Amino acid sequence: MPESDSPVDTTATTVAEIMSTPVVTTGPDATIATAAEQMRHRKVGSVVIVDDGRPIGILTERDLVRIAAAGADASSDPVGEWMTPDPDWVARGASVSDAFMSLAEHGYRHIPVVDDKQLVGIVSMRDLMRIAQIQPAENLAHEIPKGLEGVVVAETVIGDVRGLEGFSHYRQYSAVDLAERRTLEDVWYLMFDRELPTLAERDAFIDEIRPLREIPGDVADALPTLARLGGDAPPLDMLRTTYSLFATSLAFAPSLDVPAAELRQQALRTCAVIPTLLMALYRLRNGREPVAPHPDLSYAANYLYMLTGETPPPEHARAVEQYLISTIDHGFNSSTFTARVITSTGADLGSAIVGAIGALSGPLHGGAPGRALDMLDSIGTLDNAEPWLRDAVARGDRLMGFGHRVYKTDDPRSTMLRGVAERLGGDKVELAKAIEAKAIEVLTELKPGRKLYTNVEFYAGIVMDTCGVPREMFTPTFASSRAIGWCAHVLEQAADNRLIRPSAQYVGPPPPQPVPDPA
Ligand code: ACO
């Protein structure tokens, strides 16, 4: 049975109760290629090498990496030459916490379980980590990188990011290819319904979402007051508040109680109305009447239309559309994870989206494109670039629009948007390209080994600025497209839900301390 699928009894106290069995085994003469294929086929991270039922060695995924690096011939070299011989083991009656300590202390990920010298099972760190009772987790913390970097927290069929390759995909398609070849509506359909639409499906989908762009009457009536009360609050904060009112007014019920078709309908309505809410609030705060959505315009053209009241040039609508498509989804980024955590509690879709908007508002996540353009303005000229950038990095400032948790090479969205910016032209593009090159030079020199390159936000600002989107609306525009990704994740989480409830390592003064009387 694959380890990850093993039903783990969270009340278990002995290894026998949680071990995986039968164990994937092989003899010492089997080739490395055969053993690797066994691991892949049985979806396990190790193979135990046995002789007459006794475990004489273990070969793990980590060993395979080592073997490949050493240039071994996997098709002919026997595992006996590469296995870890005489592996540590635990008795089937050993306690779960002893097994945990043994794994954690030695840094093992798998440990064979033995009874009367015979191999009877295998227990993995993953099995043990699924048991809450192994607290306190002093050693566990060594396994959990700060910021959860690289930690896999769920399975998804929505998409992924491959940071080392500089590649991201929605479903099975490259996100950049989709942005080059398809409309936003097509990609929205793909995110919700798993397939790209046919022409007829596209038309039906557009008909389905067109009326959902309208703001319900009672919410529309409240907007002038909300815009006034909001004062100078950032537009994303205003969206958070107003969207929350919208979801409440439509009585979105806990996702746990909502059938899948109704949840999809709520998700469609959410993604369709967010641009209208954003633009209505923006105009009201600037003393202008909201512009109602245009039924005949695409999502992107309508987005710009509701900003100005005029049909935008097609090249602007397409440029903004390509930006919007490229930011719909991006792995388990902070706001998407937030939406999934909230959904995992069974809460309503509105709560998940409100939480995600909050997470996105931080400058380390969605708040960068305006700041990236501020940085370009502040640098001003190419001559000023090098001293400005050096000073900033030396001071410990972050260059906005650079660096990424996952990409350790060019962000493919940034490369695409550089092309979009070049196509649009404009006075900022050449300066931006020169500053980008200088910034990478400076980061490579002053932050060696960190692999800091341009992220999606750097050229996003240029593209939106050229298309007439005001700077304060950059992050809200990002929220508008990302809402489609959030909703796709809410639907996926709700369809196969389990409460997301991790643990933390307590590092404060040892409890229990006597509670002092008030001094
Ligand atoms: N400028 C200068 N130094 C940087 C930058 C940057 N933009 N990004 C990372 N570093 C440095 C850090 O100072 C740190 O250096 P140190 O090892 O000397 O302390 C090192 O690189 C690693 O930084 P972390 O903070 O550990 O990297 P993390 O993966 O947590 O951060 C993040 C990723 C938040 C995107 C970061 O690169 C950053 O702050 N960038 C600027 C803001 C930005 O552009 N945000 C938009 C991200 S894209 C998006 O969310 C859509």
Side-chain angles (χ1 to χ4, degrees):
M1 189 187 302
E3 297 144 24
S4 55
D5 296 342
S6 311
V8 170
D9 173 4
T10 50
T11 62
T13 55
T14 66
V15 163
E17 293 166 79
I18 62 159
M19 67 188 185
S20 298
T21 183
V23 187
V24 180
T25 59
T26 191
D29 298 331
T31 64
I32 294 161
T34 313
E37 176 54 25
Q38 276 181 284
M39 284 190 217
R40 194 191 65 76
H41 179 65
R42 301 282 298 275
K43 296 190 184 145
V44 294
S46 66
V47 173
V48 180
I49 294 80
V50 288
D51 181 18
D52 206 15
R54 287 179 306 109
I56 59 164
I58 188 163
L59 193 79
T60 67
E61 283 164 333
R62 274 193 286 193
D63 293 325
L64 293 180
V65 175
R66 183 172 55 87
I67 292 166
D73 184 351
S75 62
S76 62
D77 282 8
V79 283
E81 279 180 21
W82 290 94
M83 67 187 189
T84 303
D86 302 323
D88 281 350
W89 50 268
V90 286
R92 57 177 299 147
S95 74
V96 164
S97 54
D98 285 351
F100 171 70
M101 294 307 277
S102 187
L103 280 162
E105 264 169 35
H106 295 95
Y108 303 142
R109 294 192 184 258
H110 307 87
I111 191 161
V113 182
V114 168
D115 189 24
D116 195 20
K117 298 192 180 158
Q118 295 291 301
L119 178 72
V120 291
I122 190 152
V123 68
S124 72
M125 189 50 119
R126 221 178 327 176
D127 292 338
L128 293 169
M129 282 170 64
R130 286 154 69 190
I131 300 184
Q133 279 76 2
I134 56 176
Q135 307 294 347
E138 284 132 20
N139 296 303
L140 192 62
H142 300 305
E143 297 282 325
I144 308 294
K146 200 168 182 187
L148 296 184
E149 180 168 2
V151 176
V152 173
V153 292
E155 289 184 340
T156 181
V157 293
I158 293 173
D160 195 17
V161 184
R162 296 198 206 142
L164 288 175
E165 290 167 46
F167 174 73
S168 73
H169 58 105
Y170 304 158
R171 307 291 182 189
Q172 64 272 41
Y173 303 109
S174 145
V176 166
D177 285 355
L178 288 167
E180 302 277 17
R181 301 170 58 93
R182 290 296 198 138
T183 66
L184 181 131
E185 285 81 353
D186 285 356
V187 182
W188 180 355
Y189 185 98
L190 171 73
M191 299 306 277
F192 276 34
D193 295 338
R194 295 188 173 210
E195 301 292 340
L196 280 168
T198 60
L199 288 176
E201 285 166 341
R202 173 196 283 177
D203 289 345
F205 186 64
I206 289 170
D207 286 343
E208 187 180 8
I209 55 182
R210 185 180 292 118
L212 306 182
R213 290 172 173 174
E214 303 285 344
I215 304 173
D218 47 356
V219 178
D221 292 346
L223 287 186
T225 311
L226 287 169
R228 185 171 49 75
L229 289 176
D232 290 332
L236 202 61
D237 294 9
M238 292 303 300
L239 174 69
R240 192 190 62 217
T241 303
T242 315
Y243 171 76
S244 183
L245 178 70
F246 164 84
T248 311
S249 83
L250 293 183
F252 284 1
S255 58
L256 205 62
D257 305 330
V258 173
E262 189 181 328
L263 199 62
R264 178 184 180 276
Q265 200 55 29
Q266 292 177 0
L268 280 179
R269 191 138 196 200
T270 291
C271 301
V273 86
I274 281 180
T276 321
L277 288 175
L278 279 172
M279 288 309 178
L281 288 165
Y282 175 77
R283 286 183 65 93
L284 284 165
R285 279 160 51 115
N286 287 283
R288 284 180 285 166
E289 281 300 306
V291 174
H294 193 306
D296 300 330
L297 291 181
S298 69
Y299 182 113
N302 179 54
Y303 191 77
L304 294 175
Y305 169 78
M306 291 189 298
L307 175 67
T308 62
E310 284 164 27
T311 305
E315 61 274 19
H316 285 184
R318 180 62 185 146
V320 168
E321 180 170 57
Q322 288 184 280
Y323 165 70
L324 291 167
I325 294 173
S326 70
T327 49
I328 281 179
D329 187 47
H330 209 234
F332 263 57
N333 59 84
S334 310
S335 56
T336 298
F337 185 45
T338 303
R340 287 192 76 127
V341 170
I342 295 175
T343 304
S344 84
T345 70
D348 68 290
L349 181 136
S351 296
I353 301 306
V354 168
I357 294 171
L360 185 75
S361 67
L364 300 187
H365 188 6
R371 290 172 188 241
L373 207 54
D374 292 344
M375 183 179 86
L376 290 186
D377 287 349
S378 169
I379 294 173
T381 63
L382 186 53
D383 288 347
N384 194 28
E386 181 149 359
W388 194 103
L389 295 163
R390 277 184 181 282
D391 282 358
V393 178
R395 265 198 316 272
D397 288 355
R398 303 215 161 197
L399 304 184
M400 288 294 147
F402 293 87
H404 199 276
R405 173 57 66 82
V406 182
Y407 289 123
K408 300 304 168 201
T409 180
D410 283 326
D411 179 338
R413 302 167 302 172
S414 145
T415 313
M416 182 201 77
L417 288 173
R418 188 198 295 133
V420 174
E422 282 173 332
R423 195 177 74 215
L424 286 171
D427 52 354
K428 292 205 172 76
V429 184
E430 289 311 313
L431 180 65
K433 281 165 54 184
I435 290 177
E436 177 192 20
K438 194 53 80 187
I440 290 170
E441 231 175 85
V442 168
L443 287 169
T444 308
E445 186 191 324
L446 300 185
K447 292 278 174 187
R450 281 21 162 249
K451 297 193 182 336
L452 300 168
Y453 298 94
T454 326
N455 65 46
V456 67
E457 306 284 25
F458 188 71
Y459 283 101
I462 308 273
V463 167
M464 283 191 272
D465 185 61
T466 310
C467 295
V469 178
R471 208 166 293 205
E472 62 184 293
M473 294 302 283
F474 288 180
T475 299
T477 305
F478 181 14
S480 187
S481 59
R482 185 53 61 88
I484 296 173
W486 293 332
C487 284
H489 279 274
V490 168
L491 297 177
E492 186 179 66
Q493 182 70 38
D496 182 18
N497 188 44
R498 184 157 191 246
L499 177 70
I500 299 174
R501 199 292 188 197
S503 301
Q505 184 194 16
Y506 173 74
V507 294
Q513 305 280 340
V515 178
D517 291 329

